[in-house]
Amino acid sequence: MKKLNFLFYFFALIMLASCNDAGGINTLTVDPVQATIGVDGGTSKITIQTNASSWSITNSASDWLSLSSTSGTGHSGSVTLTVSTRTLESRTATLVVSAGSAKPVELSIVQTASNYLYVIKTDLTTLSFDHAGGVKALKITTDASTWSISSDADWLQFSQTTGSSGTISINITATESTSDNAKTGTISITADNAATVQISVTQKAPLYPSYNTSPLAADATGMSSTAVELAAKINLGWNIGNSLEAIGGETFWGNPKVTKALIDLVKQNGFNAVRIPCSWNQYSNSTTGKISDTWLARVKEVVQYCIDNDMYVLLNIHWDGGWLENNCTTDKQVENNAKQKAFWEQIATEMRDFDEHLLFASANEPNVDNATQMTVLTSYHQTFINAVRSTGGHNTYRVLVVQGPRTDIQKTNDLMNTLPTDPTANRMMAEVHYYTPYQFCLMTKDESWGNMFYYWGQNYHSTTDATRNATWGEETDLNNFFKMMKTKFVDKGIPVVLGEYAAIRRTSLTGDNLTLHLASRAYFLKYLIQQAKANGILPFYWDAGGIGDGGTGLFDRSNNTVADQTAIDALVQGAQ
């Protein structure tokens, strides 16, 4: 009985094996049996299950449909279907999957029709610019052989207006808005047999209205001198310090109002140029940027005092609360350029009738320490130049002065490698200041890092008060600094204004120490002027009005008399 059972199972196994090799016994399932591929092409995945030892696929549309595999072994597998091209008409492919003796399975693959043969894609669908304009990058990808880009906004410019298939990045530039309102536009990218791609563009309204409301035609009358020719006419300059730039009002920093008598006195003592440090922000409307007409008239009055004396005038936007000077940063760039534009349009329009005796200066001592900040500062200077030139008249030809970083000679030499662009040639000057060594020029108390210097110059060192002799920043250093500016700018036709320099009087000293100090200070001033003139640099002495200990005042402004004849004599002798 056991023997018969064994034979039964043996013959059953043989019959089963025989059936698996015979037709109709293998199984085959495919999922899914229908797939749709989109207009732009794409992929789809099918799964194959069978008990046969292998399977295969035939493809009726190999010209537009590809398979990751057309055959396989084992009882399961997966195949990825890929369509990478577009079609103007819908199309269908039939795939046949076979496995051993199983009945073949047909798959229907459909690609939907497209209205276009090619596609255009961009990485942006909208663009937004500030009122100041700027540059934005746009990436375009297409399989069309050629494409073109255009816009209905005439304030947009493209670095490239046509291209070929592939991926490319182009720059879109928006010019500065002169409108008081926001602007909109549309960019269109087109190609034959491709759907047009449109990008919406907006530009914000300016923060302030335009104050260039009465531009004039260019007028060269009385404006014939180039910057170099004008520099030759400026012999010795003086600052009305701590007056028109005083925060709180003209007299808030201790000086009386500037009078014509004071300017007459300055002219009589050998100065033929005046720098007017000036505040504007405190006299303006914070919302509109409008400068008080009364203040504009007052500044113009002081400018007239100087020009009536045949003196040259350098008018600036000074510290002014630090809105520009302390914010040479990218996050403040747009806001500050808007204010710079608004202010200079008003200043330039108000002062437009003056001839070449009046020069404008963009700023004072902008706090810049690196290349990024320098780029921002250059944009402030560019806005200044554009605003002044836009008002026309004499301002088309007026000499304009731009400041180096911190007006520090070394930083200016290192960082100020690109000047703003001026549409009027040969009408630009650069400005630096000089208070070196600080311990001698301005320092009023000893610090942990160093002590005050009372005596400057190789022949003016004290033998009895030697700890107060200058240990750096004397003749050789001064020579090197001034020579640096000559090489950087003057030799290239760009005069350099030394907008500020001074050394305080230390009248708390007594006896021989005071005598030696005053003598070394006079020598410092005379030597500085001589070297400035030798290097083509235009010196403007910083007079803050104080005539006591620690002061730099040359004149007693309370009664319009000379307060420091020794210093004046040194300056005048140096300029001869």
Side-chain angles (χ1 to χ4, degrees), residues 19 24 51 64 104 120 152 169 223 239 242 248 293 301 372 378 391 407 448 469 480 496 542 563 571:
C19 288
N51 61 358
W64 59 271
I120 301 171
D152 59 1
S169 182
M223 307 297 294
N239 275 272
N242 286 15
D293 291 337
E301 181 180 39
T372 298
T378 301
T391 62
T407 54
S448 59
N469 293 331
N480 290 338
V496 172
W542 178 254
L571 295 170

Side-chain angles (χ1 to χ4, degrees), residues 382-442:
Q382 189 66 63
T383 296
F384 156 69
I385 290 173
N386 294 347
V388 173
R389 297 293 185 231
S390 72
T391 62
H394 289 163
N395 289 336
T396 303
Y397 303 98
R398 194 170 306 285
V399 170
L400 304 180
V401 184
V402 294
Q403 293 62 47
R406 293 187 181 270
T407 54
D408 176 86
I409 289 178
Q410 187 65 61
K411 288 184 181 296
T412 299
N413 185 71
D414 294 343
L415 295 174
M416 198 172 188
N417 298 316
T418 301
L419 292 174
T421 301
D422 190 352
T424 306
N426 304 317
R427 292 296 199 280
M428 192 184 303
M429 295 183 182
E431 181 180 350
V432 293
H433 297 170
Y434 194 78
Y435 293 107
T436 303
Y438 172 76
Q439 290 102 311
F440 179 74
C441 294
L442 296 176

Side-chain angles (χ1 to χ4, degrees), residues 125-128 185-187 198-202:
T125 57
T126 61
L127 280 173
S128 177
T186 301
I187 294 172
Q198 292 190 323
I199 299 172
S200 298
V201 187
T202 59

